[in-house]
Amino acid sequence: MKFSVWAPAARRVRVSVDAGVHEMTEGDGGWWHADAEGVNYAFLLDDDEKPLPDPRSRWQPHGVHAESRVYDHGEFAWTDDAWTGRQLPGAVLYELHVGTFTESGTFDAAIDRLDHLVDLGITHVELLPVNAFDGTAGWGYDGVLWGAVHQPYGGPDGLKRFVDAAHARGLAVVLDVVYNHLGPSGAYLDRFGPYFAGQNDWGPGLNLDGAGSDEVRRYVIDNALGWFRDFHLDALRLDAVHALLDRRAVHLLEQLATEVDSLSAALNRPLTLIAESDLNDPRLVTPRERGGVGLHAQWSDDLHHALHVKLTGEATGYYTDFAAPDALERVLREVFFHANTWSSFRERTHGRPVDTRTVPGHRFLGYLQNHDQIGNRATGDRLSATVAAGRLACGAAVLFCSPYTPMVFMGEEWAASTPWQFFASFPDPELAEAVRTGRRREFARHGWGESDVPDPMDPATVERSRLDWSEVEQPGHREVLELYRALIRLRRERPELADPRVANLRVDSAPDGSWLVLHRGGLRLAVNFGPGPVTLPLGATATTLLAWAGATVDGGAAHLPPDTFVLAETAP
């Protein structure tokens, strides 16, 4: 078997295979090669006797500091030959963390819950990162070996079983991948070559445009292509792409999008790239033939922020600007709230307008909650911890009746009572203490006491964050689940609700933002966020399709108590 590694500055490279050490021969472009027999291997650079895992490892059964293991993708017995993929337009996504989605926190346990997602009406399951990181429990954003699947979840075969089972149920699978930084423990890439170039907010960033960066870019792109090709994934969610510093004429993201489109043609199924970006720049999702980067979609934090402020009244930090009475209406009509406009949080103008005549709404993912917006709160509290069911229902109605692609965070569909808190499990006590202290200091600046912030290293923090599936049939939770099912079913059955043409959306709203009416073809969604009842004209004789609590339709008007909505069909 041939072993290869890129180590352009090394004078000598050896590979240890099943305890036998073999000299490697330098080839072109800084690549070293050796033939040897065995399955467990690691590299030794120059005169250092410390064995290092393979930067392109496919399997780390004993953790990120241990030797790598040979893995043959061809040995898995796939059963999804008939799978032709799913397009993003018309989709409903469901974001989940494998480690806390079920009691045992494995891919196989998650398979047992896939039928719940099918029954809910989900089309795409989005997994938080599953690449190898140090420790057993964590969010996954501290990954250091991007091609290896976290062993406690079930390793590479476990992920393949999950994808295979999802495809058998008609579910596409999205994977969250992190290319903007590496975690603080087990990141040995810089020992091998010029992989790093400076730091960002989360750790060492990659060298994407400096000397030696060609192979670094291939490291990223080959990893992405491998998820699609070898693990049969349908989409990747690219974490914090604004932190990918690249001054080349062809940005890494454009190169990635080009190669993914080529692979999609070869595999004859849609492959989707979804960005998380803080830039509010529609060029990310503008096709390359129109001068854009060519990604397929991006998360829409502006929609989340507008909905969050509307439901909770919180208006501090980055929520401040979204307290404007027309914030939600503007985001629904224009996609971005900050579109070359002043951002008080950033203390500068921010963003670029979206041409809603040409950019479809399905390219923007909307959500009431996600892992960041819950987990990065001091106590990891969900909306259901502080917001009444009626207001949650109103928020969900706006989300699913909007022209954007909706996404649900695990447990949201039944107003789960369990928090989702920040947790990690670094074995190094100094690193663990640094993370613990840093977390407390961060929230102390926002007025939280140290005792209010859960210890991220305490296993109890993980346990608190696990979903309690017994809640699904309990009163108060069952009604919310039925609402989500109904909203998703109507979005599927009524093309007007999934229509992505943002320019066709009409929104009427109160001057103080206390109510709004969405016009979706012949359908009207009337929502009352205010403290008192309102009667809203719908413009014609209307019949109720779905209503919450005491909301009714009488003739051409909707009668809405506080925190209620009605979705009605108007007569042609």
Side-chain angles (χ1 to χ4, degrees):
M1 144 169 294
K2 181 178 284 294
F3 293 89
S4 300
V5 68
W6 184 59
R11 302 181 306 277
R12 178 192 186 197
V13 182
R14 293 164 290 163
V15 60
S16 172
V17 184
D18 289 350
V21 178
H22 308 265
E23 293 287 343
M24 303 187 76
T25 301
E26 185 175 11
D28 294 336
W31 282 89
W32 296 73
H33 310 280
D35 291 317
E37 295 301 320
V39 294
N40 298 304
Y41 69 102
F43 297 109
L44 298 97
L45 302 178
D46 295 326
D47 297 323
D48 192 343
E49 296 302 318
K50 177 178 174 56
L52 301 176
D54 184 357
R56 293 183 177 231
S57 172
R58 296 177 174 180
W59 196 5
Q60 291 295 125
H62 302 298
V64 299
H65 300 288
E67 59 191 358
S68 303
R69 181 171 293 177
V70 172
Y71 181 84
D72 183 357
H73 282 296
E75 292 186 355
F76 186 82
W78 290 97
T79 65
D80 66 347
D81 291 346
W83 177 250
T84 57
R86 271 191 177 273
Q87 297 280 2
L88 191 63
V92 179
L93 279 72
Y94 188 95
E95 186 188 30
L96 69 86
H97 175 261
V98 174
T100 52
F101 184 56
T102 63
E103 182 63 30
S104 56
T106 65
F107 293 118
D108 289 335
I111 289 172
D112 294 337
R113 296 294 182 182
L114 288 178
D115 289 337
H116 166 83
L117 303 184
V118 174
D119 183 58
L120 180 61
I122 299 301
T123 64
H124 291 63
V125 183
E126 179 172 320
L127 304 178
L128 267 67
V130 302
N131 47 222
F133 59 86
D134 197 13
T136 56
W139 282 16
Y141 294 90
D142 286 325
V144 290
L145 290 169
W146 293 340
V149 178
H150 192 50
Q151 189 64 24
Y153 293 165
D157 277 0
L159 176 58
K160 290 180 176 180
R161 288 192 297 271
F162 179 88
V163 174
D164 205 42
H167 287 172
R169 291 163 172 82
L171 294 168
V173 182
V174 186
L175 179 63
D176 196 336
V177 291
V178 184
Y179 296 134
N180 58 73
H181 76 284
L182 287 95
S185 182
Y188 297 114
L189 291 187
D190 59 332
R191 307 273 189 94
F192 289 89
Y195 281 94
F196 296 166
Q199 294 275 129
N200 57 38
D201 290 343
W202 306 286
L206 290 189
N207 168 28
L208 299 177
D209 55 12
S213 61
D214 282 358
E215 284 295 348
V216 180
R217 293 166 75 94
R218 284 259 50 101
Y219 180 67
V220 174
I221 292 172
D222 289 347
N223 176 263
L225 298 178
W227 291 121
F228 289 124
R229 182 186 59 245
D230 302 325
F231 288 90
H232 293 201
L233 289 167
D234 302 284
L236 298 179
R237 181 263 192 187
L238 309 173
D239 182 67
V241 299
H242 51 272
L244 294 170
L245 302 181
D246 183 3
R247 294 162 294 186
R248 291 201 189 193
V250 178
H251 193 280
L252 173 75
L253 293 176
E254 182 180 349
Q255 183 180 350
L256 174 61
T258 301
E259 296 200 29
V260 167
D261 284 350
S262 177
L263 180 61
S264 175
L267 297 178
N268 195 30
R269 60 185 174 91
L271 305 177
T272 303
L273 294 173
I274 304 169
E276 180 202 23
S277 173
D278 185 47
L279 300 177
N280 278 22
D281 188 350
R283 288 178 299 184
L284 279 176
V285 296
T286 298
R288 290 186 299 282
E289 56 268 28
R290 290 180 44 222
V293 173
L295 302 182
H296 305 98
Q298 69 177 80
W299 280 25
S300 177
D301 273 351
D302 280 19
L303 179 56
H304 167 270
H305 297 348
L307 282 166
H308 184 89
V309 173
K310 184 66 69 178
L311 297 180
T312 67
E314 294 181 13
T316 59
Y318 52 71
Y319 290 133
T320 301
D321 293 342
F322 294 87
D326 66 341
L328 180 55
E329 177 188 351
R330 283 173 55 187
V331 172
L332 287 168
R333 288 190 294 103
E334 301 173 12
V335 184
F336 294 146
F337 182 81
H338 292 302
N340 195 31
T341 55
W342 178 257
S343 166
S344 62
F345 176 72
R346 298 173 179 86
E347 298 184 352
R348 59 171 174 81
T349 55
H350 182 66
R352 177 194 294 264
V354 176
D355 184 352
T356 58
R357 299 166 302 172
T358 60
V359 181
H362 74 255
R363 295 194 183 278
F364 302 93
L365 271 62
Y367 33 85
L368 286 176
Q369 302 174 80
N370 63 40
H371 74 276
D372 269 334
Q373 302 300 340
I374 300 173
N376 282 329
R377 296 171 67 83
T379 60
D381 53 312
R382 297 170 178 263
L383 281 175
S384 52
T386 54
V387 173
R391 292 188 78 76
L392 286 177
C394 290
V398 172
L399 174 65
F400 288 108
C401 294
S402 78
Y404 307 114
T405 299
M407 183 177 74
V408 177
F409 182 69
M410 62 177 195
E412 173 192 332
E413 71 272 24
W414 73 76
S417 66
T418 50
W420 202 72
Q421 300 174 333
F422 177 75
F423 50 83
S425 58
F426 295 119
D428 181 346
E430 291 187 7
L431 176 57
E433 183 58 30
V435 172
R436 181 183 294 116
T437 302
R439 188 78 177 171
R440 288 171 175 166
R441 286 176 177 170
E442 175 185 355
F443 285 105
R445 292 195 294 268
H446 298 284
W448 292 85
E450 288 196 8
S451 61
D452 297 323
V453 182
D455 181 355
M457 299 298 159
D458 186 348
T461 304
V462 182
E463 293 304 317
R464 282 191 298 271
S465 299
R466 294 189 195 280
L467 287 179
D468 178 2
W469 283 88
S470 70
E471 292 182 334
V472 171
E473 296 301 329
Q474 294 176 9
H477 299 286
R478 182 176 58 246
E479 293 80 3
V480 175
L481 178 58
E482 291 172 353
L483 171 67
Y484 269 70
R485 285 173 177 159
L487 285 167
I488 294 172
R489 174 180 54 80
L490 284 167
R491 185 177 176 91
R492 181 178 63 249
E493 293 176 352
R494 301 302 301 254
E496 306 98 311
L497 296 180
D499 185 349
R501 294 174 294 178
V502 182
N504 285 7
L505 175 69
R506 174 182 157 194
V507 183
D508 300 328
S509 64
D512 63 355
S514 60
W515 57 261
L516 58 78
V517 178
L518 270 63
H519 297 244
R520 302 291 276 144
L523 305 185
R524 303 289 183 268
L525 174 70
V527 185
N528 182 17
F529 296 106
V534 295
T535 296
L536 302 177
L538 300 181
T541 301
T543 56
T544 302
L545 295 178
L546 185 65
W548 181 261
T552 60
V553 171
D554 179 13
H559 304 284
L560 304 175
D563 294 341
T564 64
F565 75 85
V566 65
L567 177 62
E569 182 173 25
T570 59

